[in-house]
Amino acid sequence: MTIVEAIKKVMQDVGKPLTYKEIYQEIIYKNLYRFGAKDPEALVNSKLRKHCLGLDFPSASPAKHFVIVGKRGKGAKYFLVGSSHVKTGAVQGMARSSSEERLPEEKLHDAYLEHRSTVKNLLLEQILSSDPAFFERLVVDLLLAMGYGGSVPNAGLVSGGAGDGGIDGIIKEDELGLGKIYIQAKRYAVKPVGRPDLQRFVGAMENVHKGVFITTSTFCKTAELYVDNNQKSIVLVDGHKLCELMITHRVGVSVLKEYLTFKVDSDYFVDD
């Protein structure tokens, strides 16, 4: 019997939510599993959280067997997924768990997400304080970094400026330039992009069916609906998504340090 199987057996027998410490005590009392770990309670907690619905972090298992039904500060309690004892809406998620019970991998992942959010805010501030012409070059660089244009020489062209006709950049998808992606870049601090902005962009897309509209702010609902109902293929990228893509594709950022996480390779310890 594995640890996870022992945990499930305890939950089935007891029939009520339990903390990881209570589950461990029941496993020992029923002699369901013989632990060799230095901190067996922590091992039970680790297995619970890695197989828990609503807790998603890099080392979490895709197989979800358990549900959190506890509250912050009172010790998270767990029950089996699909049990009739767990009411609808009982899944509390990671935010309901006390810091003490969270795994090091979860804490590291949360710290990473917080760091990423901070960098996105700093990127947005930097973009808003830069020259408008620089922003137009930035969005072309980003699309090229994402792989648009492929290996086509001089695939990206910044066309913004006076008389640009509503097009700030062009990505050539083939060497002859028969396939094109038009780009519009709006550097707004607060003002959302409305439907008229999208209509002008579409009006400038003569004989071109693909377009990307990028802004540092957000899009009005009317603008989103207009794009959804338009025959041309247009992608909207707001400020949040823009900075997310810049970090992912390493545009305007550099890597200071990388941290690796590990898991035990069980196959290594199995004799052939």
Side-chain angles (χ1 to χ4, degrees):
M1 180 178 287
T2 66
I3 299 176
V4 172
E5 289 171 343
I7 294 171
K8 293 170 72 173
K9 173 65 174 170
V10 166
M11 291 180 168
Q12 289 167 351
D13 291 346
V14 175
K16 67 177 183 179
L18 298 171
T19 66
Y20 74 90
K21 293 185 177 182
E22 292 171 334
I23 293 170
Y24 167 72
Q25 291 168 0
E26 285 291 323
I27 292 175
I28 296 300
Y29 176 74
K30 296 177 182 292
N31 196 27
L32 297 175
Y33 186 86
R34 188 178 296 276
F35 292 92
K38 184 177 181 180
D39 189 353
E41 286 188 354
L43 184 58
V44 171
N45 182 46
S46 175
K47 292 296 183 181
L48 281 164
R49 298 186 71 79
K50 288 186 177 183
H51 292 272
C52 190
L53 194 66
L55 298 186
D56 294 308
F57 48 96
S59 62
S61 171
K64 303 299 184 183
H65 306 299
F66 313 117
V67 178
I68 289 183
V69 293
K71 294 183 179 179
R72 184 195 298 268
K74 295 184 179 180
K77 293 189 176 184
Y78 301 86
F79 212 80
L80 286 173
V81 169
S83 170
S84 59
H85 292 80
V86 180
K87 298 179 181 179
T88 303
V91 179
Q92 301 298 324
M94 186 160 44
R96 293 287 186 174
S97 304
S98 67
S99 176
E100 179 183 347
E101 291 159 341
R102 288 165 59 229
L103 304 179
E105 302 97 297
E106 291 179 86
K107 295 176 183 178
L108 182 62
H109 186 57
D110 284 352
Y112 168 74
L113 293 179
E114 183 179 355
H115 168 69
R116 197 175 176 104
S117 178
T118 299
V119 174
K120 285 193 290 187
N121 290 333
L122 293 173
L123 274 174
L124 201 56
E125 290 179 9
Q126 191 71 40
I127 293 170
L128 290 172
S129 63
S130 64
D131 186 84
F134 175 82
F135 181 49
E136 294 171 359
R137 293 197 300 273
L138 184 156
V139 297
V140 171
D141 289 343
L142 175 59
L143 290 175
L144 292 176
M146 292 173 66
Y148 292 97
S151 58
V152 178
N154 301 315
L157 171 67
V158 178
S159 59
D164 62 14
I167 303 300
D168 293 322
I170 300 171
I171 299 292
K172 293 190 297 181
E173 296 186 282
D174 57 80
E175 292 189 22
L176 297 179
L178 297 176
K180 296 179 181 178
I181 301 173
Y182 276 3
I183 307 167
Q184 177 65 278
K186 289 293 184 185
R187 197 188 60 154
Y188 292 155
V190 179
K191 177 185 175 183
V193 174
R195 176 170 175 152
D197 293 307
L198 268 300
Q199 288 175 320
R200 283 191 290 271
F201 180 49
V202 170
M205 294 173 62
E206 296 181 7
N207 301 318
V208 174
H209 298 284
K210 298 179 183 178
V212 181
F213 199 116
I214 301 177
T215 182
T216 49
S217 61
T218 58
F219 292 93
C220 293
K221 189 64 178 179
T222 54
E224 294 175 347
L225 290 173
Y226 174 75
V227 167
D228 289 340
N229 297 322
N230 200 279
Q231 292 183 346
K232 294 184 183 293
S233 179
I234 302 172
V235 175
L236 303 181
V237 178
D238 62 15
H240 173 79
K241 182 66 174 178
L242 167 64
C243 294
E244 187 72 34
L245 291 172
M246 288 178 66
I247 293 175
T248 299
H249 297 280
R250 309 289 172 84
V251 175
V253 297
S254 57
V255 177
L256 291 178
K257 193 174 183 64
E258 291 184 331
Y259 296 89
L260 301 177
T261 57
F262 303 90
K263 70 174 182 178
V264 174
D265 184 359
S266 301
D267 293 337
Y268 175 79
F269 297 93
V270 177
D271 293 331
D272 294 332

